[in-house]
Amino acid sequence: MPWSRRWWLFVPVLGVIELMAHFVFARRAPRPEDWPKARAPLVELRKDRELVVVAPHWAEPLARQAFGEELMPLQDVARADETSYARAIEVSVLGQSASELSGWRAVSERREGAFRFRLLENPHAANVRFDFVDGLVPERVVVRETAAEELRECRYTPNARVSTGSLPGPPTFPARRFACASGEPYFVGVTIIDDPEYRPRRCIWAHPTPGGPLRIQFSEVPLGRVIRGHAGLPWLIMRDGHGVPIELDVRVDGQSIGTLVHHDQDGWHLFEFPTGAEGRTATVEFEVRASDVRERHFCFQADTR
Amino acid sequence: MMRAYRALRRRAVHPKGGSRDRDWVDPAIALGLVVGYVALLLSTVHDLGYARDEGFYFQAARSYEGWFELLFTHPDQAFTRAAVDRYWSANHEHPALMKALFALSHRFLHEKWRLFAEAGTSYRFPGMLISALGVGVTYLWARRLASRLAALVGGVSLAMMPQVFHHAHLACFDMPVAAMWLITSYAYHRALETGGVRWPLASGVLYGLLLDTKHNAWLFPPVLVAHLFLTRSRPLFTGTLRGRIAVPSALLSVAIVGPLVFYACWPWIWYDTGRRIAEWIAFHTGHEYYNMEFLGRTYWKPPMPLGYAWVMTLATVPLTTLALSAIGFGHDLVGAVRARELRTRSAPVFWTVSIFVSYAPWLSTKTPIFGGTKHWLTAYPFLCLFAAVGFERVACAVREELQRRFGHQPLRTALVEIAAALCVVVAPVAIALGAHPWGLAAYTPLVGGASGAATLGLNRTFWGYTTGAVQDFLNQRAPPRAAVYVHDTAMQSWEMMQADGRLRSDLRGTMNIHDSDFALYHHEPHMGRVEYQIWVAYGTSTPAHIGTYDGVPVVWVYERPRPR
């Protein structure tokens, strides 16, 4: 029988294939109750606070639920980038790999059921001497705003009223903050913004203040070769923004080592300035300023390495 | 069984109405489809939460119900401008038909006669009924060109298209406008076939109701005009030369009766008509762009991706249905074009133009995509009509082949044809029912199902209806009077879930994360910032509960850690 006469077979066969394929695809991803089974192997592998990365990325909420803050702390989940991690453990399903770890060297691989665990080494891991986001504590930091041409301290409080903006508003204003007298949103505290890919970025909220520059001073910082970081504004709110540029001036012991000029469209903007003082301990100051402070929801993270 | 088979396989009714069949059989089958589909929708409604827009329409319907109350008690007051403005201003950016039906259904079927225990279901019922009528009319129209078995394939293919199945549950306008477009088209085409008064008049009335359903109706007249030129260009041309323009009476009815019915059925435009209609048009032609994820990128302003409509159709309509549609289109329309016999293929030409017009807006990069597949639902009934014709070709080929191989063996042929019909509908049924109540997260095996679609970066949900999937967790876990941040669920939808007893009445819905004890999160990439706000406010990034479809997270809940 010539195939041209049998063309009609194609359709019911296609129907059966589609049905079978539906059931195959419907069952291939692990269910929520499967994810806790991946915890024990991960605990075994994780010896030195390695970064845990999930592939595909859409499965990460399931991993966070199963593994908890102990294995996936917020600092890791909302990290600036992967450069400061010497090692990472990729937990993957469905044969996926984490693109952010491409180029890392696979040290070991293990499979448990639907899960694959790969221990990966960063070939260019940075040696971070000091993290300014983690170091934003009252024992080390002084924050001042400019008011009537004078510097006025923004006092630290651990119990400020938390507020959230939901979808159209600013990120969460945290309880722990250096609150400036100019009122909200003028404070310095750690929060999380969304970057141009809507990923979370933990950073220091530093809204430029209306009276003049905002200064955030860290004392006794063990310096590395560079001060490196990122800066941005919450992407969903500012992606069409045409606000004035924001300047972030970085100073070591009073001397400027570089100025970042950030525009709304710059996204999660990388900067790196040589300290010229590697190995020393110094005072590092970040000065934030803008010619018009309206809706300048500026947030930055930095470390010295 | 052979009698049933012969009844199913009866050849298509003669286009001019002559038939060897009893007149009641096909209407009875169509009615059976309608009743069966409504029953299926009602049986699957209880774990489908209320979508965001449903909340707005509940509120509008309650307002319109006040007007109906006034109409029944003080009719002279009901028609005053003050009364019309007071009751019909709610949600006047959309016309009134469906919301008025929601209101009447709620008033009579829930409040008065208690046919529905849930107020929300009573609001949803008119949408379900009209959607089911669309399924029935698909059968009837397909039946005019194909056997009963093929027409059934067409009807079931529409009913069980996963996204059609989802939208058919909702107290919204998207499936109703698709059904009304189809029903109006059917009446119009019957008018072209038979002439007379009944069908042309029905065409005009139905077009008025279509206009009163949703603004997709603006695209309907171009379909009629294009169809006219494609199938009757020569008689139109020669008639014009002779000073006689033979415009079908149905077209005149659509043009004249339609707007009159539209006006009559939308009280808001009884006053200040010109300005209010202009406002309605301006709202939709200048609609704000919302966010939509497509292939891993979130679009919020033009240029929108030109491939959106086509890719999403391939990703969400079962491939078997599309294949049948392609066969039907290729056989009926392409053959007619080759033979220059478009006039004799009037119905397939109409279906083709309807499909094209439904998709045409997405030939522009300025057309919004935020509504996903519901934007072109009006095309789907016509795809399924072609699918019915396509299956008829398959069935013919089956008969010919079996006749050639085995001679006249009606029982064997019957079984093979029925088996083939089951083969082409079983995948749509499995996908649609398996995806419920996740609806918009339903993707076909062509893209790897839900997990494949998530990896590709296709939208999983919007409108906040998936709160229904986590209602049990909230009811069991939340302490008394807990405040729940509702995220993308409209407060009106949240309140309806409480009124229906789906959510505990003591739970307090809130739009503030910082004052909440539990926080819902309906995932879309651009919504991520809401999740991060929850992390900072609650001090945790560990979800307490996740609602998944085929292993893919769609909605999750955070619980604020309580002091020990």
Side-chain angles (χ1 to χ4, degrees):
Chain A
M1 175 168 52
W3 278 104
S4 61
R5 292 216 308 260
R6 282 186 277 186
W7 71 267
W8 57 269
L9 265 176
F10 159 74
V11 177
V13 168
L14 176 65
V16 172
I17 291 174
E18 188 167 37
L19 178 71
M20 288 165 39
H22 163 68
F23 285 119
V24 166
F25 286 121
R27 281 153 178 72
R28 64 178 189 150
R31 296 302 194 253
E33 57 269 21
D34 295 325
W35 280 86
K37 299 172 192 168
R39 194 173 198 283
L42 180 60
V43 168
E44 271 182 47
L45 272 174
R46 194 171 185 257
K47 305 275 192 260
D48 191 18
R49 300 195 305 175
E50 287 88 344
L51 172 67
V52 176
V53 175
V54 180
H57 181 68
W58 56 256
E60 192 193 85
L62 292 161
R64 282 190 269 114
Q65 182 187 36
F67 303 156
E69 304 277 340
E70 180 193 339
L71 298 173
M72 296 184 72
L74 188 56
Q75 289 90 320
D76 288 354
V77 173
R79 60 191 177 276
D81 59 27
E82 292 73 39
T83 58
S84 62
Y85 296 91
R87 286 185 158 200
I89 299 171
E90 177 196 80
V91 182
S92 72
V93 297
L94 305 177
Q96 299 285 315
S97 297
S99 59
E100 58 264 48
L101 302 180
S102 63
W104 289 36
R105 188 175 69 87
V107 173
S108 67
E109 181 172 319
R110 175 178 168 178
R111 288 180 190 271
E112 294 278 343
F115 301 94
R116 183 186 71 181
F117 302 86
R118 290 201 303 160
L119 179 62
L120 299 157
E121 261 183 8
N122 186 351
H124 307 292
N127 178 17
V128 172
R129 302 270 180 94
F130 183 81
D131 186 304
F132 292 96
V133 180
D134 292 337
L136 190 75
V137 293
E139 296 79 17
R140 188 192 282 276
V141 175
V142 175
V143 177
R144 296 186 183 92
E145 64 170 331
T146 307
E149 297 183 352
E150 289 186 358
L151 289 176
R152 184 167 62 189
E153 188 169 338
C154 302
R155 298 212 176 274
Y156 178 78
T157 170
N159 297 311
R161 187 176 177 280
V162 174
S163 63
T164 52
S166 198
L167 185 66
T172 298
F173 293 168
R176 296 195 199 103
R177 64 175 87 157
F178 296 84
C180 300
S182 299
E184 279 189 5
Y186 308 109
F187 69 88
V188 173
V190 177
T191 189
I192 299 175
I193 67 169
D194 47 311
D195 78 359
E197 293 181 356
Y198 307 101
R199 296 283 179 105
R201 301 300 182 191
R202 184 167 163 267
C203 50
I204 297 172
W205 175 271
H207 196 299
T209 42
L214 173 73
R215 293 181 180 174
I216 307 161
Q217 189 180 78
F218 291 78
S219 58
E220 298 186 21
V221 176
L223 289 177
R225 187 178 59 80
V226 298
I227 290 179
R228 181 184 186 277
H230 298 81
L233 285 75
W235 182 248
L236 186 77
I237 308 303
M238 297 298 162
R239 60 191 178 184
D240 289 323
H242 304 290
V244 300
I246 301 167
E247 292 182 356
L248 175 69
D249 190 34
V250 185
R251 298 178 184 146
V252 173
D253 284 340
Q255 294 294 316
S256 175
I257 63 168
T259 303
L260 171 76
V261 179
H262 181 82
H263 303 86
D264 288 5
Q265 304 300 310
D266 288 339
W268 190 235
H269 192 172
L270 174 67
F271 65 87
E272 184 173 294
F273 304 128
T275 62
E278 185 176 2
R280 278 178 34 204
T281 298
T283 297
V284 176
E285 185 175 85
F286 297 90
E287 181 176 287
V288 183
R289 54 185 183 256
S291 58
D292 183 342
V293 301
R294 284 175 297 176
E295 293 197 340
R296 301 288 78 201
H297 295 179
F298 188 70
C299 206
F300 75 95
Q301 66 77 221
D303 60 50
T304 175
R305 51 180 70 185
Chain B
M1 181 178 177
M2 284 310 299
R3 282 175 66 184
Y5 165 69
R6 279 195 285 271
L8 274 176
R9 200 174 68 59
R10 198 88 65 195
R11 289 201 197 111
V13 173
H14 191 278
K16 293 298 181 188
S19 168
R20 292 177 295 170
D21 305 310
R22 297 187 186 90
D23 286 340
W24 59 269
V25 175
D26 288 314
I29 294 175
L31 182 62
L33 280 172
V34 171
V35 171
Y37 197 53
V38 171
L40 178 62
L41 293 173
L42 286 172
S43 70
T44 50
V45 79
H46 301 293
D47 56 353
L48 177 60
Y50 296 119
R52 184 172 184 77
D53 281 15
E54 286 188 289
F56 305 146
Y57 304 148
F58 294 155
Q59 187 173 27
R62 276 195 285 272
S63 181
Y64 302 174
E65 208 172 317
W67 185 82
F68 285 114
E69 180 67 36
L70 188 64
L71 179 68
F72 298 148
T73 55
H74 299 89
D76 53 326
Q77 294 178 24
F79 292 91
T80 64
R81 175 162 186 161
V84 165
D85 285 2
R86 177 185 169 192
Y87 292 106
W88 292 94
S89 64
N91 195 242
H92 62 259
E93 60 268 29
H94 287 291
L97 178 64
M98 291 311 302
K99 289 168 284 178
L101 292 175
F102 300 159
L104 291 171
S105 177
H106 175 255
R107 177 183 167 82
F108 289 103
L109 303 184
H110 173 68
E111 298 277 295
K112 200 166 178 187
W113 299 330
R114 308 300 293 182
L115 287 179
F116 293 116
E118 290 188 341
T121 302
S122 71
Y123 282 120
R124 283 175 159 175
F125 180 69
M128 295 179 180
L129 184 59
I130 293 178
S131 303
L133 286 172
V135 172
V137 170
T138 300
Y139 170 85
L140 287 174
W141 203 348
R143 182 69 183 92
R144 298 189 71 75
L145 286 88
S147 66
R148 289 198 177 109
L149 188 61
L152 273 173
V153 166
V156 173
S157 295
L158 177 67
M160 301 315 291
M161 250 191 214
Q163 308 247 330
V164 166
F165 184 67
H166 170 72
H167 284 288
H169 286 84
L170 305 183
C172 290
F173 316 140
D174 302 292
M175 236 348 261
V177 76
M180 285 300 299
W181 182 304
L182 171 74
I183 295 167
T184 308
S185 301
Y186 178 68
Y188 177 81
H189 204 265
R190 288 300 301 268
L192 293 181
E193 288 174 349
T194 62
V197 173
R198 189 168 53 120
W199 284 111
L201 184 61
S203 305
V205 171
L206 286 167
Y207 182 60
L209 297 178
L210 173 62
L211 273 173
D212 235 332
T213 303
K214 201 176 177 198
H215 59 279
N216 304 61
W218 302 344
L219 299 178
F220 188 74
V223 172
L224 308 188
V225 172
H227 175 258
L228 198 63
F229 276 104
L230 286 170
T231 57
R232 299 185 179 200
S233 53
R234 186 169 297 194
L236 272 176
F237 179 68
T238 53
T240 305
L241 289 178
R242 291 174 191 162
R244 285 189 309 117
I245 301 178
V247 175
S249 56
L251 187 59
L252 290 174
S253 178
V254 163
I256 297 169
V257 175
L260 292 174
V261 169
F262 168 63
Y263 176 85
C265 291
W266 191 6
W268 175 251
I269 62 171
W270 291 349
Y271 297 96
D272 223 354
T273 305
R275 188 181 68 80
R276 289 180 173 180
I277 289 180
E279 198 177 64
W280 172 52
I281 295 171
F283 178 86
H284 292 288
T285 54
H287 199 296
E288 181 186 350
Y289 292 97
Y290 299 147
N291 293 271
M292 175 54 70
E293 182 189 17
F294 179 62
L295 296 178
R297 182 178 155 186
T298 294
Y299 291 87
W300 77 93
K301 62 179 181 181
M304 299 295 176
L306 277 177
Y308 183 75
W310 328 110
V311 171
M312 287 301 289
T313 299
L314 281 173
T316 57
V317 176
L319 188 61
T320 315
T321 304
L322 291 175
L324 283 174
S325 302
I327 293 169
F329 175 81
H331 180 273
D332 262 25
L333 196 72
V334 174
V337 169
R338 281 188 182 153
R340 300 188 184 184
E341 291 178 355
L342 283 181
R343 189 194 165 97
T344 63
R345 295 284 196 272
S346 176
V349 170
F350 196 102
W351 303 346
T352 303
V353 176
S354 288
I355 292 169
F356 176 78
V357 168
S358 295
Y359 278 99
W362 286 274
L363 294 172
S364 166
T365 59
K366 292 184 182 166
T367 305
I369 62 172
F370 58 75
T373 57
K374 73 186 185 78
H375 284 306
W376 55 81
L377 273 181
T378 47
Y380 286 175
F382 300 96
L383 279 177
C384 293
L385 285 166
F386 273 122
V389 171
F391 184 79
E392 182 69 17
R393 302 279 68 79
V394 170
C396 284
V398 167
R399 288 193 290 274
E400 286 168 14
E401 184 60 29
L402 292 178
Q403 172 81 13
R404 191 178 296 118
R405 294 192 73 162
F406 302 108
H408 181 64
Q409 296 210 11
L411 180 60
R412 183 196 294 260
T413 306
L415 290 173
V416 174
E417 281 190 45
I418 292 171
L422 288 172
C423 284
V424 302
V425 299
V426 68
V429 169
I431 298 171
L433 294 180
H436 190 74
W438 300 100
L440 300 179
Y443 287 91
T444 63
L446 189 65
V447 295
S451 57
T455 302
L456 285 171
L458 298 177
N459 173 264
R460 289 174 234 170
T461 187
F462 56 81
W463 272 355
Y465 62 89
T466 51
T467 296
V470 297
Q471 64 193 28
D472 290 344
F473 170 79
L474 288 173
N475 288 333
Q476 289 160 16
R477 178 79 181 167
R481 292 192 50 74
V484 181
Y485 170 67
V486 300
H487 187 207
D488 207 25
T489 307
M491 284 302 296
Q492 299 92 331
S493 300
W494 172 270
E495 288 158 4
M496 184 61 74
M497 292 182 73
Q498 291 183 300
D500 286 346
R502 300 185 185 201
L503 280 169
R504 283 172 22 208
S505 58
D506 65 291
L507 296 177
R508 296 176 292 129
T510 176
M511 298 300 297
N512 294 321
I513 296 169
H514 48 269
D515 289 335
S516 63
D517 304 299
F518 288 79
L520 301 177
Y521 174 67
H522 302 92
H523 178 71
E524 291 180 77
H526 72 282
M527 294 287 194
R529 66 190 322 268
V530 173
E531 186 177 23
Y532 314 148
Q533 291 177 28
I534 298 168
W535 291 355
V536 177
Y538 281 21
T540 180
S541 60
T542 303
H545 179 73
I546 301 178
T548 63
Y549 169 53
D550 287 351
V552 177
V554 180
V555 58
W556 45 102
V557 187
Y558 288 93
E559 180 176 359
R560 183 188 293 272
R562 284 173 236 167
R564 296 187 182 181

